[in-house]
């Protein structure tokens, strides 16, 4: 992954992307990824496999329902 990201960074730099303008956001994203991974691993060690499976299925179901709701709302247009 690092090789792919470095290659993309090089290409974007050659294309004129100014990394300095986005450095704070990129660092915040790296920190959030690190924190999320750390918290996720701690949570996984505390949950049983059955409990995780149940929570994961509920999370996917809720996300799917939200996506369906947004799709229907967009099809029907603005309310009122």
């Amino acid at each position: 992954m690092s090789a792919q990201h470095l290659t993309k960074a090089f290409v974007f730099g050659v294309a004129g992307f100014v990394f300095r303008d986005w450095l704070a956001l990129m660092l915040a994203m790296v920190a959030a990824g690190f924190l999320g991974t750390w918290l996720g691993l701690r949570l996984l060690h505390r949950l049983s496999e059955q409990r995780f499976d149940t929570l994961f299925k509920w999370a996917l179901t809720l996300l799917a329902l939200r996506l369906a709701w947004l799709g229907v709302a967009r099809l029907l247009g603005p309310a009122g």
Side-chain angles (χ1 to χ4, degrees):
M1 291 294 289
S2 294
Q4 287 179 329
H5 290 315
L6 288 173
T7 303
K8 287 187 275 185
F10 175 75
V11 171
F12 276 106
V14 170
F17 184 78
V18 183
F19 288 97
R20 183 178 49 247
D21 295 346
W22 296 93
L23 187 59
L25 179 61
M26 290 188 291
L27 290 175
M29 290 169 53
V30 168
F34 177 79
L35 182 64
T37 300
W38 182 74
L39 288 172
L41 285 173
R42 286 183 54 112
L43 180 65
L44 278 176
H45 290 314
R46 291 182 176 205
L47 289 176
S48 68
E49 189 172 336
Q50 182 181 359
R51 183 77 162 164
F52 174 80
D53 191 51
T54 301
L55 290 172
F56 185 69
K57 286 179 182 177
W58 271 105
L60 287 180
T61 300
L62 291 174
L63 288 170
L65 289 172
R66 180 181 180 271
L67 187 59
W69 177 267
L70 291 174
V72 169
R74 181 167 284 187
L75 283 174
L76 296 178

